Every structure is written in C-alpha cells, then in structure tokens.
Amino acid sequence: MNEIDKMLAVQEKERQKIADELHDNLGSLLATLKINFETLNEQEKNVVLYAKTNQIIDEAYAEVRNISHLKNTGVIGKEGLLLAVKKMAEKMSVPHKIIFNVIPSGLKNRIENTVEVLLFRIIQELATNCI
C-alpha cells in the first residue's frame, strides 16, 4: 500500500467516524429537541415563532441525516463507484430545484478501490458545489 492509499484509507475512516458521530449524537439531540419543541407548542400558542423554529429544526435534522447517510453512499465493499454515485445523486437531488442524472459511459468493470474512493470524493465535491 503506497502513501496515497494510506492517506485515502485514513480519510475514509475519519469520514466514517464523523458521520457516525453526527448520526448518533447530534441527530438524536435534534430529534429530542423537536419532540420537546412540539410539546411546548401545545402549551404556548405563539404560532409564528413556533412555525419558524420548527422549520429550522426540520432543516437541521434533515441536514444531519443527509450528511450521516452519505457515509453509506461512499464506495464501500462490493458496491462500486457507479452504484455509489447513483445513490449519492438520488440523495442529493431535490425535486423542482436540482436533479442529478448519472449517465455511465463505459465504466463496466471495477477499478482499484482507492481510485474509486478518490473519484467518488471528486464527484461528490462537484455535486456539492453545484448545489
């Protein structure tokens, strides 16, 4: 394993750890906050503030879920680059706003995993920049 392979492996491990932390810790905190907030709304009737804050909580929770689930769209195990990119495109597409279409062009065989990971991260960054 050369130095680039080692660096990519470390980066993937760190991304996995961050995604796990987001999902397990921050995600559960936001879910609990949302339940508490909904309970508060039943007691207090400031509808405008409730609606605005509720929307922000929903957006934050959705963002955490999206980030944490991106760990599963990476080039993992038997999945391969093409399927990983298709899954990522599906998750990142927003109807009536931005749609990512994956058009495979000659990628029929798997390539070295470290190259697949690197290409996936490049495509992921391009898609993020488009958003």
Side-chain angles (χ1 to χ4, degrees), residues 71-89:
K71 71 181 181 184
N72 296 325
T73 63
V75 184
I76 301 170
K78 300 175 188 171
E79 190 169 85
L81 178 62
L82 185 56
L83 185 57
V85 171
K86 284 180 179 180
K87 285 182 178 181
M88 179 195 64

Side-chain angles (χ1 to χ4, degrees), residues 87-125:
K87 285 182 178 181
M88 179 195 64
E90 183 180 311
K91 286 185 186 288
M92 293 179 85
S93 292
V94 179
H96 309 294
K97 292 195 178 198
I98 187 165
I99 305 294
F100 291 98
N101 293 310
V102 178
I103 303 169
S105 178
L107 184 62
K108 295 181 178 155
N109 299 319
R110 294 284 307 263
I111 52 181
E112 185 182 336
N113 194 334
T114 54
V115 175
E116 286 185 334
V117 170
L118 185 58
L119 289 172
F120 178 81
R121 295 295 172 211
I122 291 169
I123 295 166
Q124 185 179 45
E125 182 66 23

Side-chain angles (χ1 to χ4, degrees), residues 1-13 118:
M1 185 179 269
N2 64 31
E3 292 303 313
I4 293 174
D5 293 342
K6 289 177 187 175
M7 183 180 70
L8 286 173
V10 168
Q11 284 178 341
E12 282 304 302
K13 186 175 181 179
L118 185 58

Side-chain angles (χ1 to χ4, degrees), residues 27-40:
S28 63
L29 286 173
L30 285 172
T32 304
L33 175 63
K34 180 148 177 66
I35 291 169
N36 290 344
F37 187 67
E38 287 172 354
T39 303
L40 180 64

